[in-house]
Structures are given as structure tokens and as C-alpha cells.
Amino acid sequence: MANILQPTEKNLRELRKFLFLGGIVGVPTETVYGLAANAFDPEACSKIFEAKRRPANDPLICHISGVEALEQICHSNALAIRLANRFWPGPLTFVLPKKEKIPGLVTAGLDSVGVRCSAHPVFQKLVALCDFPLAAPSANPFAYISPTTAQHVKAGLGSKIEYILDGGPCAYGVESTIVDLRDESQPRILRYGALPTEKIEAELGRSIEKPVATTADESVQHLAPGALPKHYSPRTPLDLRGGIAPEEIQNLSPDTAALLLSKPTQKVSANVHWLSENGKLDEIAANLFAKLRALDESGYHRIIAEEAPELGLGLAINDRLRRASFR
Ligand code: TXA
Ligand code: MG
């Protein structure tokens, strides 16, 4: 069973050595926990695919220490540098042409690589100690709910990995926003995430292309091979609603859990749950995955959940809820 390690200087140095020797480690980031390996070591990275049971056609994101390390792994451009200077460290991943040093296994054979610089202070320390980038997808078994605490990682992958670095609960609770920057004249959002696209658009002074709602679109599947319609999914069937009426909450069957965006004003039964006190999107995102896990473990036959408003972080929240509800 995996050991959860506290982020002491000594543990960080030992984990650096463990990673250098080809090990894989659960790591905290400000979005979700990741499962990290030396991105230059294909054998180490293959252990990530194995532990997660992740299909080989789903590429990994590489984590670097900052904008100065971009050229280590990819061919950057002025747009990437501008966005990095504005939003890094933070929950924004770029897709850029890869350099040869990054093994094809990491990028699932694509000639591009996902690259990100995390703002989590503990993970930043580990990345700074490593003189190699860290490939790290979310640390969940493939298609299950992403982990936002070290305990979640242990629950999902504890029998497959030796160490999890504890960095506390993740501040954002949804994954990074991914933007394809290969063509500077046509940046495109590949995945809604913790950095609202409006902020990127405000920085660039123009609107940028968004993912189509249904990932059945072939070109999108090609661009973001991991963007499968079913993902982030509890085992309990989840029905997503535009809204849930108070009468439905009052008449809820005991084998069904209701997941509301904010605390109801009326008195409700114990199977009614909520993601925030008063509907703030950052609070909803931060609680989303932990709450879905808790409901999944409570023996309900069904979960009904409410959609967030389609703006800001709401786009990432709804993307995760839609995939969680896909059957
Ligand atoms: O917040 C995050 O991004 C977290 C933390 C751990 O950094 N990581 C994460 O990784 O969410 P993962 O593997 O769960 O999701 C990465 C997504 C996948 O859908 C993958 O297909 C896509 O990014 N991706 C990675 N490299 C890509 C590339 N070169 N081109 C297109 N999509 C790529
Ligand atoms: Mg993932």
C-alpha cells in the first residue's frame, strides 16, 4: 500500500532520487493530484499508463519549472511566452510542437506535447529539484473521478504505487485549461479547465476557438485524444439537469442523492447535498470531485446533479459533470 509522505526537504530529495531511478509518484498540484514520472524516461512513463490502465493513445502532460524551461521540451513561440508570462505558474497547459528528447510514448505518438507549470508550492519544490520534466496525468484510474487529496490517490491507486506526496486538498479542484498554441494565429481551447477562457481572451484581446460540446467530433478527438465523452465518472449513474426544482427535492426517493450547486434554503433530507454555501463557482469546483466520490461511496442507486451557469469556471464544471453523466 502506498505511503503518504509529508513534504519535508528530506522526503522531497528522496522522491527526486526515486523519480530519477524510474519510479512513479502521486503528486499534488493546484488543480488535481497527478501521477508523475521522469518525462525523459519512457520506461518510467510506461508505468503511469499501466497503473492508471490508461490507453496508450492518450498523451501525458509534462510539468516544467517555468517559461525558461519551455525550450527544453518543445518549440515555443511568442504567443506561448506571452501567455506563460501572464498565467504561469498556474492552471494553464499549452500544446506545442515537441522536441525529440520527449519520448513518443509520452505524447502517444503525436508530434506535439502538453506542457504546464504548476503553482502548487510543494510540487514546485519537487520540480525544481528534478533536472528533468515530470510527465503527470491526473492520478485516478482511467475514466474515474480525478483525485483532489492524497487520500483519494491512495484509494484509487494505492496498491499500484509506492509514494504519494501530500500537499493538502487541491485549491481549484478541476484540471488545467488546455490551449493548443501550435498555430499562433489560431489558438484553440482543447479542454475547459481551472483558468477561465475569458481570462485568456482578455489577455489576447480577442475571442479564441472553443471545444465543441460533443467530443464525438473527430477533429477534436484527434487533437485531444483523452477528451472522451465518458470520463470523471462515478460508478453510480448520474443524471444531469438544467436545474432541480424544490418540489423534486422534497419528494426525493431515499435511494437517490441530489447534488445542488448551493445550500438550499428549505429544510431537506440527508440525501440532499450541495457543493457550496452560496453558489460561488470556485467553491463548487473545489468541492466537485470530492463530493462525487463521497456520493459514489454512499450506496445510492442514482445521483441527480445540477448544471452550473455556462460562464467562467462554470464551463469546466459542466464539462466534468456532462462526462460524469455520460452512459
Ligand atoms: O491539471 C491538470 O492538467 C492535471 C495536473 C496533474 O497537471 N493533469 C491532467 O492530465 O489533467 P490528464 O492526463 O488527466 O489530462 C490531460 C489531457 C488528456 O486529455 C490528454 O489527452 C491531453 O491532455 N493532452 C496531453 N497532451 C496532448 C497533446 N499533445 N495534444 C492534445 N492533447 C493532449
Ligand atoms: Mg485525467
Side-chain angles (χ1 to χ4, degrees):
M1 226 353 150
N3 282 309
I4 295 180
L5 300 180
Q6 291 312 303
T8 62
E9 298 294 329
K10 179 167 179 289
N11 283 342
L12 288 169
R13 277 197 310 275
E14 294 301 326
L15 287 177
R16 183 235 165 245
K17 202 188 296 171
F18 185 73
L19 287 161
F20 177 74
L21 294 173
I24 58 174
V25 177
V27 294
T29 85
E30 75 276 41
T31 56
V32 301
Y33 272 70
L35 182 59
N38 176 355
F40 291 149
D41 181 346
E43 214 172 298
C45 292
S46 73
K47 295 178 191 165
I48 293 178
F49 286 89
E50 224 171 277
K52 278 181 61 88
R53 294 181 176 275
R54 182 178 175 110
N57 67 356
D58 192 352
L60 309 179
I61 293 176
C62 295
H63 297 73
I64 59 174
S65 54
V67 61
E68 67 291 341
L70 260 179
E71 282 294 326
Q72 225 191 337
I73 64 169
C74 62
H75 300 277
S76 69
N77 55 39
L79 182 59
I81 289 165
R82 176 172 173 188
L83 290 176
N85 284 331
R86 173 71 179 80
F87 295 113
W88 278 8
L92 179 62
T93 297
F94 304 149
V95 168
L96 286 164
K98 87 174 188 78
K99 286 207 169 146
E100 233 166 70
K101 271 184 96 173
I102 295 293
L105 180 132
V106 169
T107 62
L110 297 180
D111 52 14
S112 63
V113 61
V115 52
R116 145 161 152 79
C117 171
S118 162
H120 195 291
V122 167
F123 188 47
Q124 275 191 331
K125 275 191 187 171
L126 182 65
V127 174
L129 280 178
C130 296
D131 30 20
F132 42 84
L134 290 173
S138 51
N140 47 310
F142 184 68
Y144 194 61
I145 305 162
S146 300
T148 54
T149 65
Q151 289 71 25
H152 293 164
V153 180
K154 189 167 177 170
L157 298 174
S159 63
K160 312 263 175 73
I161 64 178
E162 283 174 72
Y163 301 110
I164 301 161
L165 178 59
D166 196 354
C170 300
Y172 287 96
V174 291
E175 293 82 351
S176 62
T177 302
I178 304 181
V179 58
D180 180 1
L181 299 179
R182 289 174 303 166
D183 179 354
E184 275 190 276
S185 68
Q186 218 185 356
R188 341 186 343 167
I189 301 292
L190 298 182
R191 176 177 74 185
Y192 289 121
L195 182 71
T197 49
E198 292 93 330
K199 288 201 177 169
I200 304 173
E201 291 179 324
E203 167 65 20
L204 298 180
R206 64 179 173 114
S207 84
I208 61 179
E209 209 178 311
K210 315 290 188 320
V212 284
T214 159
T215 45
D217 179 294
E218 263 179 52
S219 65
V220 173
Q221 274 188 350
H222 176 68
L223 277 163
L228 298 173
K230 182 176 167 64
H231 207 143
Y232 315 106
S233 299
R235 285 172 287 265
T236 316
L238 184 143
D239 292 337
L240 190 57
R241 307 281 180 82
I244 302 176
E247 307 79 71
E248 188 168 8
I249 294 171
Q250 295 307 337
N251 300 317
L252 199 63
S253 131
D255 65 0
T256 299
L259 185 55
L260 309 178
L261 296 171
S262 52
K263 188 174 175 178
T265 45
Q266 78 269 38
K267 203 171 166 340
V268 291
S269 52
N271 52 342
V272 178
H273 304 260
W274 50 91
L275 289 164
S276 73
E277 283 299 309
N278 48 25
K280 279 184 66 191
L281 292 174
D282 52 357
E283 194 182 334
I284 292 169
N287 291 326
L288 178 65
F289 287 148
K291 199 71 192 174
L292 283 177
R293 270 172 192 267
L295 295 182
D296 205 21
E297 283 155 17
S298 302
Y300 293 112
H301 289 178
R302 198 164 68 108
I303 301 166
I304 58 172
E306 254 185 337
E307 272 176 5
E310 281 281 313
L311 78 181
L313 263 180
L315 291 162
I317 294 164
N318 287 341
D319 171 76
R320 307 308 186 264
L321 281 170
R322 282 186 196 120
R323 291 179 213 276
S325 69
F326 191 87
R327 290 203 279 279

